[in-house]
Amino acid sequence: MIEMKNPPFPIPTFDLTGKVAIITGSTKGLGEGMAIVLAAYGAKVVVNSRSQADCDQVAANINATGGTAIGIKADVRVKEEIDELVSKTVETFGKVDIMINNAGIGITKRVTEMTVEEWDEVVDTDLRGVFLGAAAAAKVMIDQGIQGRIINISSAGGLVGTKNIAAYCASKAGVISLSKTMAMEFGKYGITANAVCPGYIPTAINTKPLEIPKVREQIINKTALKRLGRIDELAAVVLFLASDASSIITGAYIAADMGTTCN
């Protein structure tokens, strides 16, 4: 980026220097990619999952490459653990600027075969976890007068129905609506709330279906770009929403799905 002399207005930047970001579910896949990219752009990153060892490993990897990160274990389904995740972040870094609610799971079963316990497991992680994480972070942002960013990871499955993953789709659709409501409630404090809806990006959660040639071909054929996505591409969308460059955007969702849902 060049330095312009006397620009007519402030030039938007993706620089996150001095910002503090919490990313749930960030020890693998998309979440780990987000942590790496945000750290690369200057954010102090809090890595989270249900395994302290995994959190410490990813944080150590980021620190070894010149970033700043710590790992804090927490189960996003448990309010007390999420509250502690946020409070420990504040104790360490003094504040929270960016909250990325990314932790999620999926169970592949037909509606008629899914148990109530399986339904609750998915909904509690994918929707309740977003509610708890966003609420805890927003309270700190409001108390500290921080015009923060709340980024909730939904899915292309939250935009269209998909067979055999009803609980996942229902949860992810809820995340989009919840993000819109958060935007309305938090807007007066200068806090934005948006959702990102990834399509198929190869990660551990979808390894099995993507290993089946026919299924992989069907998924790719549904996309406008005729390909799967990459972790770095999704992380770039999150970086945009976390940065000052997105300050005008709130209550929106971005379908980062290679054009799967455009028809």
Side-chain angles (χ1 to χ4, degrees), residues 102-122:
N102 167 72
I105 62 170
I107 294 176
T108 303
K109 278 194 174 181
R110 295 180 182 275
V111 171
T112 53
E113 297 171 352
M114 178 171 282
T115 66
V116 171
E117 291 75 20
E118 289 170 332
W119 172 274
D120 287 346
E121 183 180 2
V122 174

Side-chain angles (χ1 to χ4, degrees), residues 142-164:
I142 292 169
D143 288 345
Q144 295 187 338
I146 292 174
Q147 296 185 349
R149 302 280 186 268
I150 293 174
I151 303 166
N152 301 320
I153 306 305
S154 177
S155 168
L159 298 170
V160 295
T162 303
K163 292 189 296 184
N164 303 325

Side-chain angles (χ1 to χ4, degrees), residues 7 18 34 64 72 77 111 118-119 124 141 158 164 172-173 176 181 189 194-195 197 208 215 223 225-226 239-240 255:
M34 296 172 203
I72 302 176
R77 299 171 296 181
V111 171
E118 289 170 332
W119 172 274
D124 283 354
M141 293 174 185
N164 303 325
K172 295 301 187 178
I176 295 172
T181 299
Y189 303 107
N194 294 289
C197 303
K208 288 185 179 180
V215 173
T223 70
L225 294 178
K226 303 305 175 188
L239 171 64
F240 166 65

Side-chain angles (χ1 to χ4, degrees), residues 7 79 176 217 233:
K79 182 181 186 301
I176 295 172
E217 182 181 3
E233 292 178 309

